[in-house]
Amino acid sequence: MTLTKKDVVSNVLRGRTSMPRAEAKAFAPANIALCKYWGKRNEELNLPVTSSLSLSLGPLGSEVVLATCEGSDRVELNGEAVPERAPFAARLFEFLDLFRPTPATHFNVIARNTIPTAAGFASSASGFAALVTALNDLFGWGLDKRACSILARLGSGSASRSVYEGFVEWHAGSREDGMDSYAEPLDARWPELRLGLLTISSETKKTGSRPGMKHTIETSPLYAAWPAKATRDLAELKSAIVARDFERLGRTAESNALAMHATMIAAWPTLLYWLPESVRMMQRIVAMREDGVPLFFTMDAGPNIKLLFLEQSEPRIREVFPDVQVVAPFSAYR
Ligand code: PMV
């Protein structure tokens, strides 16, 4: 039997009643994977082939204010009404379909990204995580974070990780219903760790991660090597975090991102997200490293680059990359 998203929602909510309160508000951070999620074992439920590990971006993410309303669904993003036929609204309303207590229940969603959307960093991950948290509050379901992570995963895989701060592991799980595929925070903090966001292009990418993963699995001869690589990298990253070994963390994250891109590049037709400027930046990072600066990068399904470095290197990084936006993911804990 093929399970649908709706089956998972019923399973998670287990007959919880649903009298909405007037309004609910929630925030969720964006996250950057150090060990990537690339490939689904179940397309409908967003169940991944491998486990992944990310770092949440603290105050950078999405804020959602949610209320029920009459007539039809409405969404406003960063202060502007989004036309109902825009892909963003269509995807959102389809997700909300999973949660309507009656077909006549409609939602008013006011979303604001604190991560620069125009810089190409806005992620569906923080949006879906914030939305699920707001739904949980609006309907008073009292779901725990694990359940919220499972529901957020139905919106976008990486959203499962955005329900937590800090380092977060998303367990791939093996069950067909995905009830063991949720994220959990690692019990580890690293206050000196920094992420730098480098905008190369703010254009919407031609191929999103969903079709991108599918195309890679179907056509890339290199994908076969990916699951073992991701499994090794995840273990390596976790031990680097415990040991506070930055060199090992950075090297593993960079190599993981490059291996993921290698699978995409070898797909046919190729899935090449890199722009000339992305490559120029990568070469500059490698050169700085050769000059003794402990600096690494990671990239998602797009041309933008995320730098990984420690607090002590920040002045040097800002000098070389004046436009960098620096995030201190653990600053709230200091
Ligand atoms: O959650 P999605 O469907 O947007 O996929 C995310 C894919 C990557 O960003 C490339 C990797 C990851 O683990 O976040």
Side-chain angles (χ1 to χ4, degrees):
M1 192 187 72
T2 18
L3 291 163
T4 63
K5 289 188 171 80
K6 192 76 200 163
D7 295 326
V8 175
V9 171
S10 313
N11 195 5
V12 170
L13 295 183
R14 287 189 184 279
R16 279 174 166 82
T17 49
S18 32
M19 260 311 287
R21 64 180 70 189
E23 188 183 277
K25 219 177 183 171
F27 169 81
N31 74 77
I32 302 295
L34 303 177
C35 180
K36 309 290 183 188
Y37 147 54
W38 195 247
K40 300 179 208 269
R41 63 184 163 86
N42 179 321
E43 294 269 331
E44 163 74 8
L45 305 183
N46 287 339
L47 297 177
V49 173
T50 57
S51 297
S52 55
L53 185 114
S54 62
L55 192 50
S56 285
L57 299 191
L60 297 187
S62 308
E63 258 165 33
V64 165
V65 180
L66 185 66
T68 51
C69 66
E70 301 288 312
S72 60
D73 291 334
R74 285 189 289 272
V75 59
E76 186 187 299
L77 177 62
N78 298 333
E80 279 179 39
V82 182
E84 132 188 33
R85 265 188 292 278
F88 171 82
R91 189 170 172 203
L92 176 70
F93 300 159
E94 197 186 317
F95 184 72
L96 287 170
D97 284 346
L98 299 170
F99 303 98
R100 294 180 211 283
T102 72
T105 311
H106 295 287
F107 294 96
N108 190 34
V109 184
I110 301 175
R112 187 171 293 280
N113 286 323
T114 52
I115 184 149
T117 317
F121 288 106
S123 74
S124 53
S126 55
F128 280 112
L131 187 63
V132 165
T133 311
L135 281 162
N136 189 28
D137 187 31
L138 188 77
F139 289 113
W141 291 325
L143 297 173
D144 61 12
K145 289 241 180 189
R146 180 177 295 186
C148 288
S149 172
I150 290 176
L151 294 181
R153 189 196 77 225
L154 301 176
S156 141
S158 55
S160 66
R161 300 184 307 236
S162 270
V163 299
Y164 295 105
E165 292 288 346
F167 290 113
V168 182
E169 178 176 0
W170 171 17
H171 306 288
S174 58
R175 286 174 58 141
E176 243 178 89
D177 64 2
M179 293 307 285
D180 57 354
S181 185
Y182 51 81
E184 268 184 327
L186 298 194
D187 183 20
R189 291 169 187 182
W190 198 332
E192 299 79 20
L193 200 60
R194 296 289 179 273
L195 258 160
L197 308 180
L198 280 183
T199 305
I200 310 285
S201 164
S202 50
E203 269 170 45
T204 316
K205 52 198 177 203
K206 276 208 303 276
T207 312
S209 49
R210 172 177 289 268
M213 286 180 199
K214 194 164 186 291
H215 179 64
T216 306
I217 290 195
E218 284 169 359
T219 70
S220 175
L222 299 193
Y223 190 78
W226 172 254
K229 163 76 177 156
T231 305
R232 270 196 315 273
D233 287 350
L234 178 66
E236 190 74 7
L237 285 164
K238 284 167 77 172
S239 69
I241 290 167
V242 171
R244 290 267 179 116
D245 183 341
F246 177 70
E247 196 70 28
R248 191 137 64 99
L249 178 100
R251 188 188 341 120
T252 310
E254 186 172 308
S255 148
N256 184 271
L258 288 169
M260 175 183 73
H261 277 273
T263 69
M264 303 174 186
I265 291 169
W268 191 264
T270 187
L271 198 52
L272 180 61
Y273 286 106
W274 297 351
L275 292 174
E277 187 63 6
S278 319
V279 177
R280 224 170 58 80
M281 290 293 175
M282 287 186 237
Q283 285 169 331
R284 186 179 290 179
I285 293 161
V286 173
M288 283 177 75
R289 206 153 62 217
E290 282 164 3
D291 278 350
V293 183
L295 171 66
F296 297 86
F297 68 86
T298 184
M299 294 176 80
D300 292 313
N304 296 321
I305 290 192
K306 289 94 181 181
L307 304 175
L308 281 166
F309 56 94
L310 292 173
E311 185 180 25
Q312 77 234 28
S313 312
E314 193 170 327
R316 179 78 187 115
I317 305 296
R318 285 191 183 276
E319 213 175 277
V320 179
F321 305 98
D323 298 327
V324 69
Q325 179 169 6
V326 177
V327 184
F330 295 94
S331 64
Y333 302 132
R334 295 191 96 185

